[in-house]
Each structure stands twice: as C-alpha cells, then as structure tokens.
Amino acid sequence: MTEKKNVVFIVVDGLADRPVSSLGGLTPLEAASKPGIDKLAEIGICGILDIISPGVPPGSDVAHLSLFGYDPYVVYRGRGGLEALGAGMNIGVDDVAFRANFASVGEDMKILDRRAGRFLPEGDKLADSLNGYRSKLFPDVEVIVKHTTEHRCVVVLKGPGLSHMVSDTDPHREGNLIQATPLDSTPESKKTASVVNEFTQYSYDVLRDHPLNVEREKKGLPPANILLLRGAGRLPCMPSLRELYGLKAACIAANALVRGVCKAAGMDAIEVKGVTGSFDTDTNSMGRAALKLLSEYDLVFLHIKGTDSASHDGDLEKKIFMIEEKADKLVSLLLDSIDLDRTYLVLTADHTTPVSVKDHTGDPVPVVIAGPGVRSDDVKRFSERDCAKGGLGRIQARFLMPILIDYLGLSKKYGA
Ligand code: ZN
Ligand code: ZN
C-alpha cells in the first residue's frame, strides 16, 4: 500500500511584479537571491496563472477563492463576511458584515481623521460600548462589534432580511460622512441601509461623550467618536474543500481577510507564535509548524503578507528582503525536510503588485508544483518570465486546485 500524499501550498502575497528600471529592467523576483525557491523551480513544473482572467486586477479575497478552486464570480458576496470569519466572529449565512474604522468627526459630521490617530489602545473598550445594539427601526436586527487592530473593527448585523448590497458610510478620505444607500431596489437592501445609518448615528451618540474619548482629548489625541462602515459582505456561498474533494486542510495565515477565505473553504486556522501579517513574520516557525501539520492534514496552506505591503508602499528593498529572508528561507527549510516522494510543494502569488504601481494589477503570476510524478520542465529559476516558459503554460488560477487534487489521486474520471 502506498503512503497517502499531501500538499504544502505557499502563497506569497503580491509577489509578482513588473520590470524595475533601478534593477536594470529586472523584476524583484529576478533580482533577489533565492536559492531555495530556484531549486524548487528546477525540480518542479512551472507556469503562469491568470488569477481571475487576463487584465483583471484581483483583490486578495477573490484571488484566494480562485487559488482554492472556486469561481469568484459565482461564490463571492463581498469582503465583510470574510473579514468577520477571519476575526473569529460568529457569522451566519444570512448576516451582513462590514469592515469599520474608528474615526474623528466634528459636530458638523465632517471627518477630521478617518483613523482617529491610528493608535487606539482603547479600541476594545470602545467597541464593547457599542456591541449588542438592537435597531429601533428593526428590532429583529442586532449589531455585533469587535475591535481587531489599531483603529479597525468588524461589525456584523445579525437578523433576517438583510443584504450586502449597500454603500459605505466611509468616504475613504477626510470629508463628509456619507449616508449608506441601497445598491439595488430590494427591501433587504433598504432595510440594511437604514440600520447602518441608524447605528452610525448611535455610535456617535455613545462615543462622543465616552470617558475614554474625554481622556484622549485631554491628552491632545483625536477622539474616536464615530464608526465608519465599508465593504459590506456576506459569507461566500460555497462548499468546503472537504465536501468537494474529501480534503482535510489547515492554514497558517495571520492576515484576517486571507484567514477568512481559508475558513470559508473549510480549513482549520492554526495560530503559530511569531507568525504575523507583517515584515517581522517568523517563517521558520511557520515552516516547522507546517511540517508537524502534515501528519494530520492533506493540505497545509501558508501565507506571507509582507511582500504585498512592501509593494503598496513602493518599497523595493523591503520587497526583496521579504523574498530573500522570509519566502526563500521558508522554501529552503521545507525542501530540506519534506519527502518529495509523497509531499507536493506548491508556490505562487495571489496577484501582481508592482512596486512601481503600488497597487494590484492584472498581470499573470508565476507558479511551481514539485512532488511525485510531476513532469518537470526546463525552467531553472522562479520568476515571472522564467515560469512563462514552463510546462504548465498559462492557465486560470482556479484550475490549480483540480490539478493538485488529481496529483493526490482524489479526482474523478470524466467519461467511461
Ligand atoms: Zn493579496
Ligand atoms: Zn495588496
């Protein structure tokens, strides 16, 4: 009897890039020294993935849905629900969730600081003061508020007859607070917009005179006196990887949004000390934890976020540092320890984030799969251009998962 096969699936967020003139026309991946990752390309089969379709810049949520084999145009219902899952909140399929910011407004409701100074150690207590609000207009709707990091919260509306088709109250820059409006003509959207506006006013009424805000103002800090809501979303409507393929999967992903997508796909989210969504993440601990999880899981998903953050900052040096010191060290550690006769090692990105653009673009991303039975190609370096010459060719990201399922021997034959 053959041993059961499994997969380590690594996504380095926003890893792919475009040629950079200060690098002599190389991309950060081409310029970085990354012996482990290049070794992986040499022994594996390489290719490039269109995350959604050519020329469509994906958000990280939609990108990961695609990488996990789902069609985002079918299953995606906004960002909020995934944020709530990622933040460990209890959210049902009918609930609607939002990302929220504590902000500072003046008495004329003009937003003075969208992030209330960003540093907000009072966040937990301020969120608690709003938590559990019941709508006066629709008493069947309860509002749950959870503080996450800095000025950020997640807000969940629980109750029947709600919709995620409502606009943001956050103007996304300093200016006037915006009223939420329904984005379609259903009664559910109208109801949700009414509750959002009612709750926004309530947040101001409670927070305006909150003792912690009085204290903040005494210290010369901007008061966190309103919650701005954006990114309404419900849970994606989709079966888990276990339901689809019988796959038992775990993830190590510190970024709340990505962890939310993993949970929506049915993965167990594993906390690992030292693993952060930032530049200081400990990929050694991540790698060692992944090796342990392989005895229990068919698929272990690992996520590194800092490459994308560096790209949004236009910080080329930081991006190369993340590739050399974090991603490459992780791949080297795994290559040293896993048994490639039974374990597949997969590496890709969720989208291109060029340091020159500082945002996501629609370029395809490189991918490599190494492991038993893989028909390796002539590609010896992992980069945007090298992988374009690889044996996988150019495929849509949502076909990556079926390929892995087939390698694992879990696919079903089509036809007789
Ligand atoms: Zn991303
Ligand atoms: Zn990004």
Side-chain angles (χ1 to χ4, degrees):
M1 165 176 157
T2 51
E3 247 187 317
K4 210 176 166 202
K5 292 186 275 190
N6 50 28
V7 184
V8 179
F9 183 174
I10 307 170
V11 167
V12 185
D13 208 297
L15 172 65
D17 211 299
R18 290 176 176 174
V20 177
S21 50
S22 68
L23 295 175
L26 299 179
T27 68
L29 253 183
E30 289 169 332
S33 161
K34 46 177 182 31
I37 292 176
D38 287 339
K39 171 84 184 166
L40 185 64
E42 190 178 345
I43 61 178
I45 184 169
C46 297
I48 53 175
L49 303 176
D50 283 303
I51 294 296
I52 307 297
S53 53
V56 178
S60 287
D61 46 6
V62 160
H64 281 81
L65 284 171
S66 234
L67 288 168
F68 297 156
Y70 301 92
D71 181 347
Y73 287 117
V74 175
V75 304
Y76 184 62
R77 299 197 295 176
R79 175 167 184 161
L82 296 163
E83 287 276 351
L85 260 193
M89 295 172 82
N90 207 342
I91 174 169
V93 283
D94 295 327
D95 301 339
V96 176
F98 299 80
R99 308 167 74 200
N101 276 8
F102 281 110
S104 302
V105 285
E107 272 170 24
D108 55 356
M109 284 292 161
K110 261 215 158 63
I111 295 158
L112 305 171
D113 184 342
R114 273 188 70 235
R115 300 186 178 89
R118 198 186 271 277
F119 176 67
L120 195 63
E122 305 90 344
D124 280 356
K125 287 192 176 124
L126 293 175
D128 283 350
S129 71
L130 303 172
N131 192 29
Y133 177 69
R134 218 163 248 290
S135 166
K136 300 277 181 288
L137 296 168
F138 299 96
D140 55 358
V141 180
E142 189 186 3
V143 184
I144 308 298
V145 184
K146 183 174 176 183
H147 175 238
T148 53
T149 56
E150 296 178 325
H151 55 284
R152 301 181 195 91
C153 291
V154 179
V155 171
V156 176
L157 306 189
K158 291 186 99 65
L162 297 168
S163 164
H164 64 291
M165 296 302 287
V166 293
S167 66
D168 301 348
T169 60
D170 184 349
H172 297 264
R173 67 177 99 92
E174 276 57 49
N176 289 318
L177 174 78
I178 302 175
Q179 292 281 305
T181 52
L183 296 176
D184 61 24
S185 54
T186 61
E188 288 84 3
S189 304
K190 284 183 194 146
K191 174 175 175 177
T192 309
S194 303
V195 175
V196 167
N197 291 326
E198 180 196 342
F199 174 71
T200 303
Q201 180 62 45
Y202 173 76
S203 75
Y204 178 68
D205 294 340
V206 170
L207 296 173
R208 174 178 48 184
D209 303 318
H210 195 288
L212 289 171
N213 272 326
V214 176
E215 285 293 309
R216 278 178 73 82
E217 287 185 279
K218 266 190 209 155
K219 289 186 222 159
L221 295 169
N225 59 7
I226 199 159
L227 263 187
L228 302 179
L229 272 57
R230 64 198 157 106
R234 292 203 273 171
L235 288 181
C237 198
M238 63 195 227
S240 68
L241 294 174
R242 191 190 283 251
E243 287 163 322
L244 283 172
Y245 312 113
L247 203 69
K248 191 178 178 200
C251 71
I252 303 174
N255 178 265
L257 180 64
V258 172
R259 190 167 59 236
V261 181
C262 293
K263 284 180 160 182
M267 295 186 196
D268 292 337
I270 311 295
E271 294 283 335
V272 176
K273 198 166 174 277
V275 172
T276 70
S278 195
F279 304 119
D280 62 353
T281 190
D282 179 354
T283 47
N284 265 320
S285 297
M286 179 188 263
R288 284 196 301 271
L291 292 170
K292 279 200 198 116
L293 289 169
L294 279 178
S295 60
E296 212 186 312
Y297 289 94
D298 304 312
L299 182 143
V300 177
F301 174 76
L302 307 176
H303 181 252
I304 297 177
K305 179 69 186 170
T307 31
D308 186 56
S309 313
S311 309
H312 283 285
D313 294 344
D315 191 335
L316 177 61
E317 250 171 62
K318 194 59 93 30
K319 184 164 191 175
I320 292 177
F321 164 83
M322 288 303 297
I323 296 169
E324 294 182 341
E325 296 303 321
K326 303 295 178 178
D328 192 60
K329 295 273 158 67
L330 173 65
V331 170
S332 300
L333 181 149
L334 291 170
L335 276 179
D336 281 347
S337 311
I338 60 176
D339 176 4
L340 282 170
D341 288 330
R342 61 169 298 218
T343 301
Y344 293 91
L345 187 50
V346 181
L347 175 71
T348 189
D350 61 339
H351 45 75
T352 298
T353 316
V355 285
S356 55
V357 179
K358 298 184 183 177
D359 207 343
H360 307 180
T361 61
D363 312 62
V365 303
V367 61
V368 57
I369 308 171
V374 164
R375 300 195 297 224
S376 62
D377 49 31
D378 294 334
V379 177
K380 294 192 169 30
R381 279 160 36 98
F382 186 81
S383 78
E384 299 84 349
R385 277 182 274 230
D386 287 287
C387 287
K389 300 174 206 147
L392 277 175
R394 178 172 184 161
I395 57 175
Q396 267 188 301
R398 68 190 168 94
F399 297 122
L400 180 62
M401 192 55 79
I403 291 171
L404 299 178
I405 293 300
D406 191 35
Y407 279 136
L408 291 173
L410 299 171
S411 56
K412 289 202 178 67
K413 189 189 284 174
Y414 177 59

